[in-house]
Amino acid sequence: MRAPVPHRLLGALTLAGALLVSGCTTVVRDPVARPAPDAAADTRTGAPQQPGVNPRNDLGQRSPDGGYWPASVQLGEHPELGPVVLDGQGFTLYRFDQDGAAPPRSNCTEQCLTAWLPVLVNEKVSFKDLDPARLGAVPRSDGTRQVTVGGRPVYRFVDDRVPGQAAGQGADGLWFVVAPDGGKAAAPIGQKPESSPR
């Protein structure tokens, strides 16, 4: 039996359906260059963030588990991994092989959360160019709800320093860039996959 989708998430998913036809995919051709999705603002001054700012410091409000609420979750294109899922600042999102997908469940807790930040959902988070049928949310122990793609909870890696970087790909043989269907992003046919950082 499928769990009911919370009312607040339904609004975001409806918006996602409307945006599917807008065709605004973020393409990251040079992982060092900052793409131009949602502009982030310094939470202390309101000034726009500068390229290369450490992502640990520009996430805005954080949950007790260390999760954050991005302005959006969107389709992107990585030059070596093909279609991927990004947050509104263009940072790569990941899935954890030890998480459950049926039913969705996060197994990243305690020390795991110092490196892998849960991507959270609320009524302000929009979804761009992603299939609404693949999107959902799973409750966390701190009372927040984590975005799922294809049933898989998604995270941001703290060691990705600039938009488009994928330093967490293959970490510990358990962490992989998430594809738009919730699977592992893979190199397009004829290209070598990005090497593991560890």
PDB file of all heavy atoms in Angstrom, residues 92-114:
ATOM      1  N   THR A  92      25.432  18.950  -6.995  1.00  0.00           N
ATOM      2  CA  THR A  92      25.071  17.572  -7.297  1.00  0.00           C
ATOM      3  C   THR A  92      24.427  16.900  -6.082  1.00  0.00           C
ATOM      4  O   THR A  92      24.871  17.092  -4.952  1.00  0.00           O
ATOM      5  CB  THR A  92      26.347  16.798  -7.690  1.00  0.00           C
ATOM      6  OG1 THR A  92      26.989  17.491  -8.768  1.00  0.00           O
ATOM      7  CG2 THR A  92      26.034  15.385  -8.121  1.00  0.00           C
ATOM      8  N   LEU A  93      23.405  16.089  -6.339  1.00  0.00           N
ATOM      9  CA  LEU A  93      22.748  15.328  -5.278  1.00  0.00           C
ATOM     10  C   LEU A  93      23.059  13.842  -5.435  1.00  0.00           C
ATOM     11  O   LEU A  93      23.305  13.362  -6.544  1.00  0.00           O
ATOM     12  CB  LEU A  93      21.245  15.590  -5.283  1.00  0.00           C
ATOM     13  CG  LEU A  93      20.855  17.067  -5.086  1.00  0.00           C
ATOM     14  CD1 LEU A  93      19.349  17.220  -5.052  1.00  0.00           C
ATOM     15  CD2 LEU A  93      21.501  17.662  -3.838  1.00  0.00           C
ATOM     16  N   TYR A  94      23.026  13.137  -4.315  1.00  0.00           N
ATOM     17  CA  TYR A  94      23.483  11.743  -4.250  1.00  0.00           C
ATOM     18  C   TYR A  94      22.440  10.838  -3.609  1.00  0.00           C
ATOM     19  O   TYR A  94      21.572  11.285  -2.884  1.00  0.00           O
ATOM     20  CB  TYR A  94      24.762  11.658  -3.402  1.00  0.00           C
ATOM     21  CG  TYR A  94      25.920  12.413  -3.971  1.00  0.00           C
ATOM     22  CD1 TYR A  94      26.062  13.776  -3.721  1.00  0.00           C
ATOM     23  CD2 TYR A  94      26.884  11.782  -4.751  1.00  0.00           C
ATOM     24  CE1 TYR A  94      27.132  14.494  -4.239  1.00  0.00           C
ATOM     25  CE2 TYR A  94      27.955  12.487  -5.268  1.00  0.00           C
ATOM     26  CZ  TYR A  94      28.082  13.841  -5.018  1.00  0.00           C
ATOM     27  OH  TYR A  94      29.140  14.544  -5.538  1.00  0.00           O
ATOM     28  N   ARG A  95      22.631   9.541  -3.850  1.00  0.00           N
ATOM     29  CA  ARG A  95      21.853   8.487  -3.198  1.00  0.00           C
ATOM     30  C   ARG A  95      22.813   7.554  -2.470  1.00  0.00           C
ATOM     31  O   ARG A  95      23.986   7.451  -2.826  1.00  0.00           O
ATOM     32  CB  ARG A  95      21.033   7.708  -4.218  1.00  0.00           C
ATOM     33  CG  ARG A  95      21.849   7.224  -5.390  1.00  0.00           C
ATOM     34  CD  ARG A  95      21.164   6.225  -6.255  1.00  0.00           C
ATOM     35  NE  ARG A  95      21.379   4.904  -5.698  1.00  0.00           N
ATOM     36  CZ  ARG A  95      20.659   3.844  -6.028  1.00  0.00           C
ATOM     37  NH1 ARG A  95      19.679   3.951  -6.901  1.00  0.00           N
ATOM     38  NH2 ARG A  95      20.895   2.683  -5.482  1.00  0.00           N
ATOM     39  N   PHE A  96      22.297   6.881  -1.451  1.00  0.00           N
ATOM     40  CA  PHE A  96      23.077   6.007  -0.578  1.00  0.00           C
ATOM     41  C   PHE A  96      22.572   4.581  -0.755  1.00  0.00           C
ATOM     42  O   PHE A  96      21.389   4.304  -0.548  1.00  0.00           O
ATOM     43  CB  PHE A  96      22.893   6.495   0.854  1.00  0.00           C
ATOM     44  CG  PHE A  96      23.652   5.758   1.920  1.00  0.00           C
ATOM     45  CD1 PHE A  96      24.913   5.243   1.707  1.00  0.00           C
ATOM     46  CD2 PHE A  96      23.087   5.609   3.192  1.00  0.00           C
ATOM     47  CE1 PHE A  96      25.620   4.594   2.709  1.00  0.00           C
ATOM     48  CE2 PHE A  96      23.781   4.972   4.213  1.00  0.00           C
ATOM     49  CZ  PHE A  96      25.046   4.458   3.972  1.00  0.00           C
ATOM     50  N   ASP A  97      23.468   3.654  -1.126  1.00  0.00           N
ATOM     51  CA  ASP A  97      23.047   2.282  -1.391  1.00  0.00           C
ATOM     52  C   ASP A  97      22.449   1.582  -0.177  1.00  0.00           C
ATOM     53  O   ASP A  97      21.709   0.609  -0.328  1.00  0.00           O
ATOM     54  CB  ASP A  97      24.227   1.458  -1.923  1.00  0.00           C
ATOM     55  CG  ASP A  97      24.405   1.604  -3.426  1.00  0.00           C
ATOM     56  OD1 ASP A  97      23.635   2.357  -4.066  1.00  0.00           O
ATOM     57  OD2 ASP A  97      25.334   0.970  -3.973  1.00  0.00           O
ATOM     58  N   GLN A  98      22.754   2.042   1.043  1.00  0.00           N
ATOM     59  CA  GLN A  98      22.209   1.380   2.229  1.00  0.00           C
ATOM     60  C   GLN A  98      20.847   1.941   2.647  1.00  0.00           C
ATOM     61  O   GLN A  98      20.268   1.476   3.627  1.00  0.00           O
ATOM     62  CB  GLN A  98      23.212   1.473   3.382  1.00  0.00           C
ATOM     63  CG  GLN A  98      24.440   0.626   3.111  1.00  0.00           C
ATOM     64  CD  GLN A  98      25.395   0.575   4.294  1.00  0.00           C
ATOM     65  OE1 GLN A  98      25.264   1.309   5.262  1.00  0.00           O
ATOM     66  NE2 GLN A  98      26.373  -0.303   4.202  1.00  0.00           N
ATOM     67  N   ASP A  99      20.350   2.933   1.921  1.00  0.00           N
ATOM     68  CA  ASP A  99      18.988   3.423   2.168  1.00  0.00           C
ATOM     69  C   ASP A  99      17.982   2.459   1.568  1.00  0.00           C
ATOM     70  O   ASP A  99      18.282   1.765   0.587  1.00  0.00           O
ATOM     71  CB  ASP A  99      18.782   4.801   1.534  1.00  0.00           C
ATOM     72  CG  ASP A  99      19.370   5.921   2.372  1.00  0.00           C
ATOM     73  OD1 ASP A  99      19.731   5.683   3.534  1.00  0.00           O
ATOM     74  OD2 ASP A  99      19.453   7.041   1.844  1.00  0.00           O
ATOM     75  N   GLY A 100      16.784   2.463   2.121  1.00  0.00           N
ATOM     76  CA  GLY A 100      15.712   1.656   1.555  1.00  0.00           C
ATOM     77  C   GLY A 100      14.959   2.447   0.499  1.00  0.00           C
ATOM     78  O   GLY A 100      14.845   3.664   0.586  1.00  0.00           O
ATOM     79  N   ALA A 101      14.457   1.758  -0.512  1.00  0.00           N
ATOM     80  CA  ALA A 101      13.651   2.406  -1.551  1.00  0.00           C
ATOM     81  C   ALA A 101      12.213   1.914  -1.529  1.00  0.00           C
ATOM     82  O   ALA A 101      11.321   2.589  -2.008  1.00  0.00           O
ATOM     83  CB  ALA A 101      14.264   2.179  -2.929  1.00  0.00           C
ATOM     84  N   ALA A 102      11.968   0.722  -0.990  1.00  0.00           N
ATOM     85  CA  ALA A 102      10.620   0.170  -0.972  1.00  0.00           C
ATOM     86  C   ALA A 102      10.389  -0.547   0.355  1.00  0.00           C
ATOM     87  O   ALA A 102      10.699  -1.730   0.466  1.00  0.00           O
ATOM     88  CB  ALA A 102      10.433  -0.796  -2.144  1.00  0.00           C
ATOM     89  N   PRO A 103       9.921   0.135   1.376  1.00  0.00           N
ATOM     90  CA  PRO A 103       9.527   1.543   1.388  1.00  0.00           C
ATOM     91  C   PRO A 103      10.750   2.455   1.526  1.00  0.00           C
ATOM     92  O   PRO A 103      11.795   2.023   2.024  1.00  0.00           O
ATOM     93  CB  PRO A 103       8.635   1.666   2.634  1.00  0.00           C
ATOM     94  CG  PRO A 103       9.205   0.630   3.564  1.00  0.00           C
ATOM     95  CD  PRO A 103       9.665  -0.510   2.681  1.00  0.00           C
ATOM     96  N   PRO A 104      10.593   3.727   1.126  1.00  0.00           N
ATOM     97  CA  PRO A 104      11.713   4.665   1.268  1.00  0.00           C
ATOM     98  C   PRO A 104      12.096   4.837   2.734  1.00  0.00           C
ATOM     99  O   PRO A 104      11.242   4.958   3.601  1.00  0.00           O
ATOM    100  CB  PRO A 104      11.147   5.978   0.703  1.00  0.00           C
ATOM    101  CG  PRO A 104      10.011   5.564  -0.157  1.00  0.00           C
ATOM    102  CD  PRO A 104       9.443   4.334   0.484  1.00  0.00           C
ATOM    103  N   ARG A 105      13.425   4.824   2.987  1.00  0.00           N
ATOM    104  CA  ARG A 105      13.912   5.016   4.349  1.00  0.00           C
ATOM    105  C   ARG A 105      15.364   5.468   4.300  1.00  0.00           C
ATOM    106  O   ARG A 105      16.148   4.946   3.515  1.00  0.00           O
ATOM    107  CB  ARG A 105      13.816   3.706   5.130  1.00  0.00           C
ATOM    108  CG  ARG A 105      14.148   3.863   6.605  1.00  0.00           C
ATOM    109  CD  ARG A 105      14.052   2.550   7.343  1.00  0.00           C
ATOM    110  NE  ARG A 105      15.206   1.728   6.984  1.00  0.00           N
ATOM    111  CZ  ARG A 105      15.153   0.414   6.808  1.00  0.00           C
ATOM    112  NH1 ARG A 105      14.029  -0.232   6.925  1.00  0.00           N
ATOM    113  NH2 ARG A 105      16.236  -0.264   6.508  1.00  0.00           N
ATOM    114  N   SER A 106      15.718   6.458   5.130  1.00  0.00           N
ATOM    115  CA  SER A 106      17.102   6.912   5.219  1.00  0.00           C
ATOM    116  C   SER A 106      17.822   6.165   6.330  1.00  0.00           C
ATOM    117  O   SER A 106      17.341   6.093   7.452  1.00  0.00           O
ATOM    118  CB  SER A 106      17.156   8.413   5.501  1.00  0.00           C
ATOM    119  OG  SER A 106      18.491   8.801   5.783  1.00  0.00           O
ATOM    120  N   ASN A 107      18.981   5.618   5.994  1.00  0.00           N
ATOM    121  CA  ASN A 107      19.832   4.964   6.981  1.00  0.00           C
ATOM    122  C   ASN A 107      21.092   5.778   7.252  1.00  0.00           C
ATOM    123  O   ASN A 107      22.031   5.267   7.861  1.00  0.00           O
ATOM    124  CB  ASN A 107      20.197   3.548   6.516  1.00  0.00           C
ATOM    125  CG  ASN A 107      19.009   2.617   6.605  1.00  0.00           C
ATOM    126  OD1 ASN A 107      18.318   2.572   7.615  1.00  0.00           O
ATOM    127  ND2 ASN A 107      18.736   1.897   5.532  1.00  0.00           N
ATOM    128  N   CYS A 108      21.126   7.008   6.779  1.00  0.00           N
ATOM    129  CA  CYS A 108      22.252   7.898   7.055  1.00  0.00           C
ATOM    130  C   CYS A 108      21.918   8.669   8.330  1.00  0.00           C
ATOM    131  O   CYS A 108      21.029   9.526   8.342  1.00  0.00           O
ATOM    132  CB  CYS A 108      22.477   8.855   5.885  1.00  0.00           C
ATOM    133  SG  CYS A 108      23.858   9.997   6.115  1.00  0.00           S
ATOM    134  N   THR A 109      22.592   8.328   9.418  1.00  0.00           N
ATOM    135  CA  THR A 109      22.333   8.941  10.724  1.00  0.00           C
ATOM    136  C   THR A 109      23.663   9.264  11.399  1.00  0.00           C
ATOM    137  O   THR A 109      24.726   8.822  10.958  1.00  0.00           O
ATOM    138  CB  THR A 109      21.517   7.994  11.631  1.00  0.00           C
ATOM    139  OG1 THR A 109      22.261   6.776  11.809  1.00  0.00           O
ATOM    140  CG2 THR A 109      20.159   7.659  11.022  1.00  0.00           C
ATOM    141  N   GLU A 110      23.595  10.036  12.461  1.00  0.00           N
ATOM    142  CA  GLU A 110      24.731  10.370  13.316  1.00  0.00           C
ATOM    143  C   GLU A 110      25.939  10.835  12.508  1.00  0.00           C
ATOM    144  O   GLU A 110      25.869  11.834  11.817  1.00  0.00           O
ATOM    145  CB  GLU A 110      25.047   9.186  14.245  1.00  0.00           C
ATOM    146  CG  GLU A 110      23.873   8.855  15.155  1.00  0.00           C
ATOM    147  CD  GLU A 110      24.093   7.621  15.998  1.00  0.00           C
ATOM    148  OE1 GLU A 110      25.156   6.980  15.887  1.00  0.00           O
ATOM    149  OE2 GLU A 110      23.183   7.290  16.771  1.00  0.00           O
ATOM    150  N   GLN A 111      27.085  10.130  12.566  1.00  0.00           N
ATOM    151  CA  GLN A 111      28.311  10.580  11.903  1.00  0.00           C
ATOM    152  C   GLN A 111      28.140  10.719  10.390  1.00  0.00           C
ATOM    153  O   GLN A 111      28.751  11.571   9.766  1.00  0.00           O
ATOM    154  CB  GLN A 111      29.475   9.621  12.194  1.00  0.00           C
ATOM    155  CG  GLN A 111      30.133   9.871  13.536  1.00  0.00           C
ATOM    156  CD  GLN A 111      30.715  11.273  13.625  1.00  0.00           C
ATOM    157  OE1 GLN A 111      30.196  12.102  14.368  1.00  0.00           O
ATOM    158  NE2 GLN A 111      31.757  11.552  12.873  1.00  0.00           N
ATOM    159  N   CYS A 112      27.317   9.883   9.812  1.00  0.00           N
ATOM    160  CA  CYS A 112      27.063   9.947   8.369  1.00  0.00           C
ATOM    161  C   CYS A 112      26.595  11.338   7.960  1.00  0.00           C
ATOM    162  O   CYS A 112      26.951  11.848   6.894  1.00  0.00           O
ATOM    163  CB  CYS A 112      26.017   8.900   8.002  1.00  0.00           C
ATOM    164  SG  CYS A 112      25.465   8.921   6.282  1.00  0.00           S
ATOM    165  N   LEU A 113      25.826  11.988   8.837  1.00  0.00           N
ATOM    166  CA  LEU A 113      25.219  13.278   8.510  1.00  0.00           C
ATOM    167  C   LEU A 113      26.212  14.434   8.528  1.00  0.00           C
ATOM    168  O   LEU A 113      25.873  15.532   8.102  1.00  0.00           O
ATOM    169  CB  LEU A 113      24.071  13.568   9.478  1.00  0.00           C
ATOM    170  CG  LEU A 113      22.899  12.593   9.384  1.00  0.00           C
ATOM    171  CD1 LEU A 113      21.941  12.802  10.548  1.00  0.00           C
ATOM    172  CD2 LEU A 113      22.191  12.731   8.048  1.00  0.00           C
ATOM    173  N   THR A 114      27.436  14.207   8.986  1.00  0.00           N
ATOM    174  CA  THR A 114      28.427  15.283   8.944  1.00  0.00           C
ATOM    175  C   THR A 114      28.937  15.505   7.531  1.00  0.00           C
ATOM    176  O   THR A 114      29.407  16.589   7.193  1.00  0.00           O
ATOM    177  CB  THR A 114      29.613  15.004   9.887  1.00  0.00           C
ATOM    178  OG1 THR A 114      30.282  13.813   9.457  1.00  0.00           O
ATOM    179  CG2 THR A 114      29.143  14.855  11.324  1.00  0.00           C
TER     180      THR A 114
END
